Amino acid sequence: MATIVNTTEEEPMLAVVRSTAQLAWADAGPEVADPEVARLCAEAQQHLLAARWLDMATLMLASADLLLLSPSAPDKDLECTLTVTCNLVTKAGSEDEALEIAKLICAKLTHQPADKTTLRIKVLFSLYNLLPSLSGKALVYRKALELAATAGKAAADCVVPTFKNIDAFVAYWGIGKPEQRELFLAVTRILKDHKGMTKDYFKFLNKYLATFDGSGDDADAIGAAKEEAAAAIVEFVKSSDLYQCDLLDMPAVAQLEKDDKYQPVYELLKIFLTQRLESYLAFQTANSTLLQGYGLVHEECITKMRLMSLLDLSGHCSGEIPYSAITKALEINDDEVEYWIVKAISSKILDCKVDQLNQLVIVSRHTVRVFGMPQWQSLRSKLGVWRFPLKILLQGNIANAINTIQANKVTEDGGQGMQGLMIR
């Protein structure tokens, strides 16, 4: 004979309140603990019945520190508890209420972040996926970055893979310049000491600095960007892969020119982007301590400055550079010219041919060191000149292509007809 047994499952939210309350009052003894646990469970029941989800979140998070800071608390129990709490945002009656719940959870997870940081970030990503509000998603993601910035490599590794989607995130969230600025700054703080990410670090420094347009709205905030502006300059000078940038056009960088502390760094950038080796050597003589303080190696700077000087020569010649001009600008011997030409070609900053008989370098393409608004305008003018003849050429090619397709179609139709009559 079958026996039917009634079973009930406690509501997960009530179970979380009960378990955390029992943990919180575990040392008080049953005489004190049991009434307190019962009181908290009754309070949770009232919030549940009245759909007071913000109050429920406050109650559930009240004892969360015990789990977050306890070395003996299993990660699975903590993750389960926090996941149930995060799920409250799906029950909220409005996006504003869900956002307030999310803020409570973020505040709890970012408090004393040294313990179980990776798990905290994992929970924040779960919260991100549950939130309906785009501004809420942006907030939670930024909190995850702030948390990762305070921890070690393991925590950073959790968020770094998401950086390739930052531009898509910004467009999706629809956030403004101030929020973008905070976001990019948080990314740079994570990448700064992350091994093998120097290119990405420089890229996000540029993104951050580009959010300052020099308008009155930036007047109060732009001063805080001086350190990052100097860091971007140093990263550019250090890099053996970067030979072009538009830092000089950025207001956040331009302000360094009149700053007592950072003016020499700005002068170094101008030398690398607009001058030649001779100017760098004079600067180094007067500022050797400064260069060492920023971790810049003199020999590496000379190597890069010689390549930069070669680009400057390419930009001022009429397509041909005499060997003598190269030896003078790069301060090298005659038998070293071809070595530096090969180095520039292998660095993909120069396309040219060498005329050894006449001792000429015939340049077909070179990287422009500064590519700002004047260069864009020049490119636009060139494209405008090419546009009309290119249009005529394309129209002719398209017409030919259509005729070819139509001729092939007739042939295919005829072939298909013959196949239908074949005897097999």
Side-chain angles (χ1 to χ4, degrees), residues 210-366:
T211 62
F212 299 95
D213 57 13
S215 64
D217 296 336
D218 292 337
D220 295 332
I222 196 169
K226 290 179 180 179
E227 184 178 344
E228 283 70 31
I233 293 172
V234 171
E235 287 301 315
F236 174 75
V237 172
K238 275 185 180 179
S239 175
S240 59
D241 299 319
L242 297 171
Y243 296 91
Q244 180 187 83
C245 74
D246 56 356
L247 289 174
L248 283 177
D249 291 335
M250 294 183 179
V253 176
Q255 67 176 328
L256 302 185
E257 187 174 17
K258 299 179 180 179
D259 185 87
D260 292 338
K261 180 180 179 181
Y262 294 115
Q263 189 278 331
V265 184
Y266 180 81
E267 181 63 26
L268 181 64
L269 177 67
K270 285 186 68 176
I271 290 171
F272 269 79
L273 291 179
T274 64
Q275 298 174 41
R276 297 183 183 177
L277 179 62
E278 180 184 9
S279 299
Y280 166 74
L281 293 174
F283 178 89
Q284 191 275 336
T285 301
N287 298 278
S288 58
T289 304
L290 175 87
L291 295 176
Q292 291 173 3
Y294 281 109
L296 294 168
V297 180
H298 179 49
E299 291 74 16
E300 293 175 357
C301 288
I302 287 178
T303 297
K304 182 164 183 170
M305 199 63 219
R306 279 182 170 143
L307 293 171
M308 288 296 211
S309 300
L310 188 56
L311 292 179
D312 190 63
L313 280 172
S314 302
H316 288 87
C317 74
S318 57
E320 296 181 352
I321 313 174
Y323 276 29
S324 57
I326 296 175
T327 56
K328 181 180 178 181
L330 276 60
E331 300 190 15
I332 57 176
N333 298 323
D334 292 344
D335 59 358
E336 295 178 280
V337 170
E338 292 178 14
Y339 167 81
W340 286 99
I341 294 299
V342 171
K343 193 170 183 65
I345 293 172
S346 64
S347 298
K348 299 181 180 180
I349 59 174
L350 186 69
D351 288 338
C352 64
K353 294 180 180 180
V354 176
D355 183 348
Q356 293 177 321
L357 183 62
N358 296 305
Q359 292 200 318
L360 291 173
V361 176
I362 303 167
V363 178
S364 57
R365 182 200 67 84
H366 72 281

Side-chain angles (χ1 to χ4, degrees), residues 44-96:
Q45 184 72 43
Q46 291 174 1
H47 295 329
L48 180 63
L49 294 174
R52 294 195 295 265
W53 306 120
L54 185 59
D55 293 334
M56 177 66 85
T58 303
L59 183 61
M60 293 171 71
L61 291 168
S63 303
D65 282 342
L66 293 171
L67 292 171
L68 286 167
L69 302 177
S70 172
S72 59
D75 285 355
K76 287 186 177 180
D77 291 351
L78 175 58
E79 185 177 355
C80 180
T81 297
L82 293 172
T83 299
V84 172
T85 308
C86 289
N87 198 54
L88 287 172
V89 299
T90 65
K91 298 179 178 293
S94 66
E95 286 192 2
D96 288 342

Side-chain angles (χ1 to χ4, degrees), residues 375-394:
Q375 287 72 34
W376 281 114
Q377 290 173 344
S378 175
L379 180 59
R380 182 179 180 182
S381 299
K382 290 179 181 177
L383 291 174
V385 172
W386 297 339
R387 183 179 179 183
F388 182 69
L390 184 61
K391 182 178 179 181
I392 295 174
L393 179 63
L394 287 174

